[in-house]
Amino acid sequence: MKLHRKPIPVKEAVSKVMERMKKNSHERVNLENSHNRYLGEDITASHPIPPFDKSPYDGFALHSTDTIGLGRGQAEEFRVIEQIGAGHRASRPLKKGEAVRIMTGAEIPEGADCVAMFEICQAYEKNGQSYMSLKRELKPGQNVIHQGSETKKGTVLVQSGTKINPGIKALLATFGYDQVKVQRKPKVGIFATGTELLDVDESLEPGKIRNSNAYMITAQVERAGAEAVYLGKLKDDFSTCFEAVSKAAAEMDILITTGGVSVGDFDLMPDIYKELGAEVLFNKIAMRPGSVTTVAEVEGKLLFGLSGNPSACYVGFELFTFPIIQGFLANPFPFRRRTKAYLNKDFPKANPFMRFVRGKVTMRDGKIFASPAGIDKSAVVTSLAETDAFIVLPGGTKGFKLGDMVEVILIEDSGKQEAFH
Amino acid sequence: MKLHRKPIPVKEAVSKVMERMKKNSHERVNLENSHNRYLGEDITASHPIPPFDKSPYDGFALHSTDTIGLGRGQAEEFRVIEQIGAGHRASRPLKKGEAVRIMTGAEIPEGADCVAMFEICQAYEKNGQSYMSLKRELKPGQNVIHQGSETKKGTVLVQSGTKINPGIKALLATFGYDQVKVQRKPKVGIFATGTELLDVDESLEPGKIRNSNAYMITAQVERAGAEAVYLGKLKDDFSTCFEAVSKAAAEMDILITTGGVSVGDFDLMPDIYKELGAEVLFNKIAMRPGSVTTVAEVEGKLLFGLSGNPSACYVGFELFTFPIIQGFLANPFPFRRRTKAYLNKDFPKANPFMRFVRGKVTMRDGKIFASPAGIDKSAVVTSLAETDAFIVLPGGTKGFKLGDMVEVILIEDSGKQEAFH
């Protein structure tokens, strides 16, 4: 069965995949294990911030009415009745003429309404009793951070579907989320197909190569926030492949195969999709590399048939599988950051189809630059190692020149910075 | 003991820490578990790429001398002796007038030196024997990817100390690294100090707040590639703190404490450093926030005394602890990416000291923009959640205006992209 394949534009292919988006289920994890997971609920302020009136400085808490008229030589003596650090409370309300020595972050005692910083006070002892003298007027509320002044109780602080970073983890802790509702990671099964594939620990044999795509895709799946399940290699044998794919499609949330989607005599995936009764969303895209990338759906599960060529496989994953994983994770922004950049090197090849060039982004003087990674033949194998962006060159264009503005998709920030200066 | 503290410039503080860099030891992990680890050895091409002459297309392999003079109506018939897919080899060398049907990636058989693509050949059967007819001359080596043409055996492909990403994992697999030598993750112990701290699962009490810094720092440590070991909270009690810090310093590679480094009555860390006999590298930095950030060394271990204020704590970690962790991981580029950006909002505050403003980076038309995150009071608690960069404003400057060029340090790429277009 060799279908005539009609290429569709990349944008259309992405839309066809995203239309099949499924909502994932949730689970609860301990706060400690929540880093890099995706929130399954909004974070709401369960109490005001700060939760009480507090002092922003070390000093003396007192009542402003006791300072009226101070200044120009006029000083007032305060009896220092106790001292409180953060986490402690004053044992009783202040009376007129009394002060409490207070540390940063501690609660303003009852009967006080302002704080005099140490620097403007003179502290001394008299008959075993602490005193403090002050020569300035203070206003009500001066040097007090009021309860709820930063955040009111009930405010939604972070949206469901957001990836948990260190700052968000701090928020979760602040508001007592010791268990965090997160999106369950979709299970992504991975098969590498091709009789030419050796295991990584096998010695090279004539005509064969080691299976590298499966390891690469596993890391891409994990980088995308999903759970990668490597299911092994499949030889180019129809019934073995069919059984394996059929079983895995039922067990996984998403299934990825690499290789076998082209039109070669040993490319079995098209026939497998047919035998499975899968609906093929597309099997040809007007793009390079990865034009044979195929996506099919069987019983509600998406099957991604990525190319066996490492670069095409990498690109196909990031363009089509990455955003649907973000969909499972309920990420409201499922696509990678796209921006414009200045081309940092000539790219003389013409682009009959939209081309995704593996590239590297650098930044200089407030501007973004992108260079093709491994444009030289010798760097083909290392180009993916260096890639942190795709340079998107529209179809129907001639070559591009240094300085031309191009579109880039940022894949990962592996920026290199020499030294602090 | 309240020392007079002399503030030193940020650059000098960073240098003082980096001078104490230690080389970490190595360990071996399975290739599957190597993602995001740091290489402990160079990756070297253990064989040429490609390892054999191979076909870039589906077609017929044959010898170019058999095509001499073809064209202008002149066709030649070839006997197709067998077909080979990727991973298979021809069973015998080709003779004159013979061809082998060959799939993409398969090895060029002995006796062939070029490949004619399917599109220019006519295949047919005669008496149960496959034939192919060709009307074009082919050159020696045409449509053949030669052994070693991409990479010669022995080439160093990726440097030791590089973080393993999906592309690097593919390289490791290609060259048979089923066990990968990686840098051992430094063990970073974390204590949160302060009697005011509640556990995350405790109800709020008057005057107390939940411990959020420990969870935040744990995530920052993991993001930096190290192993975080949360050691618990410490109350403001000297002997308990001293015992705990002393024991942990011996067991960990790096020890972080949050809080207790200021000059308040309950700030115990300075006395603990003294009692430990630690060498204090600095205890005051000309910066905001985090001016009291203290780094000390005892018996070869670095102790990071970060501020108890969440923003100061976050900044202190990224400026001083992050690069030394990269040092342990032998990362040749230990600092975060720094670049210039256009300020996207006025920042009217003056900067008596170098200021690190929590910020957010956006990109537009090839340019980088940075906005302060949570400049409004109401957003103080969420500012760290949104932070993906620090805006660095030099000391001794007045406010900055929208459009001014400022320096930024990129912390994480949390870019949001609406849709594919």
Side-chain angles (χ1 to χ4, degrees):
Chain A
M1 185 201 64
K2 298 287 170 257
L3 286 166
H4 173 67
R5 297 188 177 187
K6 194 181 165 307
I8 65 171
V10 175
K11 186 183 167 178
E12 194 183 324
V14 171
S15 299
K16 277 177 184 284
V17 173
M18 295 306 276
E19 279 165 13
R20 310 292 168 124
M21 188 132 85
K22 286 226 163 37
K23 262 218 155 163
N24 205 16
S25 52
H26 299 117
E27 61 184 340
R28 287 192 182 271
V29 295
N30 289 330
L31 178 57
E32 296 93 84
N33 304 323
S34 67
H35 186 208
N36 287 335
R37 299 297 298 266
Y38 289 70
L39 282 172
E41 59 186 332
D42 294 341
I43 305 180
T44 304
S46 56
H47 60 70
I49 294 279
F52 45 80
D53 291 357
K54 71 173 182 183
S55 174
Y57 302 115
D58 297 337
F60 293 96
L62 43 87
H63 204 283
S64 57
T65 49
D66 290 354
T67 70
I68 292 171
L70 296 187
R72 276 172 261 170
Q74 178 76 8
E76 178 75 34
E77 184 180 78
F78 289 82
R79 221 174 110 90
V80 179
I81 56 166
E82 62 182 314
Q83 68 169 5
I84 49 171
H88 292 278
R89 309 190 84 189
S91 53
R92 64 163 177 84
L94 267 71
K95 294 180 193 146
K96 194 171 164 49
E98 291 181 342
V100 160
R101 189 176 164 98
I102 192 169
M103 297 298 121
T104 305
E107 185 180 18
I108 306 293
E110 216 179 309
D113 71 348
C114 63
V115 172
M117 292 168 73
F118 280 161
E119 290 86 329
I120 65 163
C121 304
Q122 214 165 1
Y124 49 93
E125 303 256 318
K126 247 182 358 191
N127 306 326
Q129 169 62 46
S130 294
Y131 288 90
M132 176 275 285
S133 128
L134 179 68
K135 288 181 188 166
R136 281 208 222 156
E137 220 176 75
L138 291 174
K139 291 191 197 74
Q142 194 166 342
N143 296 334
V144 172
I145 306 177
H146 287 285
Q147 182 191 61
S149 59
E150 289 181 7
T151 305
K152 304 237 169 306
K153 184 175 170 173
T155 311
V156 172
L157 299 171
V158 187
Q159 228 190 321
S160 177
T162 305
K163 191 175 179 177
I164 297 173
N165 65 20
I168 292 176
K169 221 173 143 194
L171 276 186
L172 288 164
T174 299
F175 293 111
Y177 289 78
D178 59 321
Q179 294 276 311
V180 188
K181 188 175 169 186
V182 295
Q183 310 290 341
R184 194 173 64 77
K185 291 182 181 190
K187 257 196 204 166
V188 182
I190 299 152
F191 278 120
T193 76
T195 303
E196 76 276 24
L197 299 180
L198 297 168
D199 278 326
V200 173
D201 57 359
E202 289 184 277
S203 300
L204 270 198
E205 282 174 35
K208 302 208 169 187
I209 56 170
R210 291 198 189 89
N211 169 18
S212 61
N213 285 342
Y215 293 92
M216 178 181 79
I217 286 286
T218 298
Q220 287 178 285
V221 167
E222 287 168 0
R223 184 170 66 183
E227 181 189 343
V229 184
Y230 176 45
L231 299 166
K233 287 180 305 157
L234 293 173
K235 288 204 191 299
D236 299 330
D237 168 73
F238 184 83
S239 65
T240 318
C241 283
F242 175 77
E243 286 304 321
V245 168
S246 169
K247 184 163 172 284
E251 289 168 359
M252 300 289 145
D253 294 308
I254 291 172
L255 185 64
I256 293 175
T257 54
T258 68
V261 284
S262 197
V263 292
D265 298 347
F266 299 98
D267 289 314
L268 300 172
M269 292 310 298
D271 291 335
I272 287 174
Y273 297 137
K274 197 180 177 196
E275 185 78 11
L276 280 170
E279 178 191 357
V280 174
L281 310 190
F282 52 83
N283 56 16
K284 186 101 182 167
I285 308 166
M287 64 182 266
R288 293 286 182 277
S291 65
V292 294
T293 306
T294 301
V295 179
E297 191 183 57
V298 64
E299 292 177 18
K301 302 292 178 66
L302 286 173
L303 314 180
F304 288 83
L306 303 180
S307 169
N309 170 288
S311 294
C313 184
Y314 189 100
V315 170
F317 177 89
E318 296 298 337
L319 291 185
F320 305 109
T321 323
F322 176 86
I324 198 81
I325 289 174
Q326 300 309 300
F328 266 93
L329 295 168
N331 185 346
F333 301 94
F335 298 103
R336 289 206 179 274
R337 176 137 67 170
R338 288 165 74 94
T339 185
K340 296 251 191 283
Y342 297 92
L343 202 59
N344 215 7
K345 222 180 203 177
D346 290 344
F347 189 86
K349 266 201 251 184
N351 307 291
F353 300 97
M354 181 176 268
R355 192 190 295 277
F356 294 86
V357 182
R358 281 82 64 211
K360 237 194 120 32
V361 158
T362 49
M363 298 174 181
R364 206 168 56 241
D365 298 331
K367 291 191 184 133
I368 311 162
F369 298 86
S371 313
I375 197 169
D376 322 309
K377 246 196 164 180
S378 66
V380 173
V381 294
T382 50
S383 71
L384 289 175
E386 287 170 5
T387 293
D388 60 15
F390 296 148
I391 301 169
V392 187
L393 304 177
T397 52
K398 307 262 172 200
F400 286 79
K401 287 210 173 310
L402 187 147
D404 283 352
M405 194 166 270
V406 291
E407 192 163 22
V408 296
I409 299 176
L410 303 182
I411 303 297
E412 69 173 314
D413 183 350
S414 63
K416 290 174 177 179
Q417 175 66 33
E418 286 296 340
F420 197 100
H421 53 85
Chain B
M1 184 202 66
K2 299 291 171 256
L3 285 167
H4 173 67
R5 297 187 175 186
K6 195 183 167 307
I8 65 171
V10 175
K11 186 184 167 178
E12 194 183 325
V14 172
S15 300
K16 277 178 182 285
V17 173
M18 296 306 276
E19 278 165 12
R20 311 291 168 124
M21 189 131 87
K22 287 226 161 36
K23 261 215 155 166
N24 206 15
S25 53
H26 300 117
E27 61 184 339
R28 287 193 182 271
V29 295
N30 288 330
L31 178 57
E32 298 94 80
N33 304 323
S34 66
H35 186 210
N36 287 335
R37 299 296 299 266
Y38 289 70
L39 282 172
E41 59 186 332
D42 294 340
I43 305 180
T44 304
S46 57
H47 59 71
I49 294 278
F52 45 80
D53 291 358
K54 71 173 183 182
S55 174
Y57 303 116
D58 297 336
F60 293 95
L62 43 87
H63 205 283
S64 56
T65 49
D66 289 356
T67 71
I68 292 170
L70 297 187
R72 275 170 262 171
Q74 177 76 8
E76 178 75 33
E77 183 179 80
F78 290 81
R79 219 173 110 90
V80 180
I81 56 165
E82 61 183 314
Q83 69 171 3
I84 48 170
H88 292 278
R89 309 192 83 189
S91 53
R92 64 162 177 84
L94 268 71
K95 294 181 193 147
K96 193 170 162 52
E98 291 181 341
V100 161
R101 188 176 166 96
I102 191 170
M103 297 299 122
T104 305
E107 185 179 20
I108 307 291
E110 215 179 311
D113 71 350
C114 63
V115 173
M117 292 168 73
F118 279 163
E119 290 85 328
I120 64 163
C121 304
Q122 213 163 5
Y124 48 92
E125 302 256 317
K126 245 179 10 189
N127 307 326
Q129 170 61 45
S130 294
Y131 288 90
M132 177 276 286
S133 129
L134 178 68
K135 287 182 189 166
R136 284 211 218 151
E137 219 175 77
L138 292 175
K139 291 192 197 72
Q142 194 167 342
N143 297 334
V144 171
I145 306 177
H146 287 285
Q147 183 190 60
S149 59
E150 290 180 6
T151 306
K152 305 239 170 304
K153 184 175 171 172
T155 311
V156 172
L157 300 172
V158 187
Q159 226 189 322
S160 178
T162 304
K163 190 174 179 178
I164 297 173
N165 65 20
I168 292 176
K169 221 172 143 195
L171 277 185
L172 288 165
T174 299
F175 293 111
Y177 289 77
D178 59 323
Q179 294 276 310
V180 188
K181 189 175 168 188
V182 295
Q183 311 290 340
R184 194 173 63 76
K185 290 183 181 190
K187 256 195 205 169
V188 181
I190 298 152
F191 278 121
T193 76
T195 303
E196 76 276 23
L197 298 179
L198 296 168
D199 278 327
V200 173
D201 57 359
E202 289 184 278
S203 300
L204 269 200
E205 282 173 36
K208 302 210 168 185
I209 56 169
R210 291 198 188 90
N211 168 19
S212 60
N213 284 342
Y215 292 93
M216 179 181 79
I217 287 286
T218 299
Q220 286 178 285
V221 167
E222 287 168 1
R223 185 170 66 183
E227 182 189 342
V229 184
Y230 176 45
L231 300 167
K233 286 180 307 160
L234 293 174
K235 288 202 190 300
D236 298 330
D237 168 74
F238 184 82
S239 65
T240 318
C241 284
F242 176 77
E243 286 303 319
V245 168
S246 170
K247 184 163 175 281
E251 289 169 357
M252 299 290 143
D253 294 308
I254 290 172
L255 185 64
I256 293 175
T257 54
T258 68
V261 284
S262 196
V263 291
D265 297 348
F266 299 98
D267 289 314
L268 300 171
M269 293 310 298
D271 290 335
I272 288 175
Y273 296 138
K274 200 181 175 194
E275 185 78 10
L276 280 170
E279 178 191 357
V280 174
L281 309 189
F282 51 84
N283 57 16
K284 186 99 181 170
I285 309 165
M287 65 182 266
R288 293 287 181 275
S291 63
V292 294
T293 306
T294 301
V295 179
E297 192 183 57
V298 64
E299 290 177 19
K301 302 293 179 66
L302 285 173
L303 313 180
F304 288 83
L306 304 180
S307 168
N309 169 288
S311 294
C313 183
Y314 188 100
V315 170
F317 176 90
E318 296 298 337
L319 291 184
F320 305 109
T321 324
F322 176 86
I324 198 80
I325 289 175
Q326 301 309 301
F328 267 94
L329 294 169
N331 185 346
F333 301 93
F335 298 104
R336 291 205 179 273
R337 176 136 67 170
R338 286 166 75 93
T339 184
K340 296 251 192 283
Y342 297 91
L343 201 58
N344 217 6
K345 224 180 203 178
D346 290 344
F347 189 85
K349 268 201 249 183
N351 307 291
F353 300 98
M354 182 175 266
R355 192 192 294 278
F356 294 86
V357 182
R358 282 83 65 212
K360 237 195 120 31
V361 157
T362 49
M363 299 175 180
R364 207 168 56 240
D365 298 330
K367 290 191 184 132
I368 311 162
F369 298 85
S371 312
I375 196 169
D376 321 309
K377 250 196 160 180
S378 66
V380 174
V381 296
T382 50
S383 71
L384 289 175
E386 286 170 6
T387 293
D388 59 15
F390 296 147
I391 302 168
V392 187
L393 304 177
T397 52
K398 307 264 173 199
F400 285 80
K401 286 206 173 313
L402 186 149
D404 282 353
M405 194 167 269
V406 291
E407 193 163 21
V408 295
I409 301 177
L410 303 182
I411 303 297
E412 68 173 316
D413 183 351
S414 63
K416 291 174 177 178
Q417 175 65 33
E418 287 296 340
F420 201 97
H421 53 86

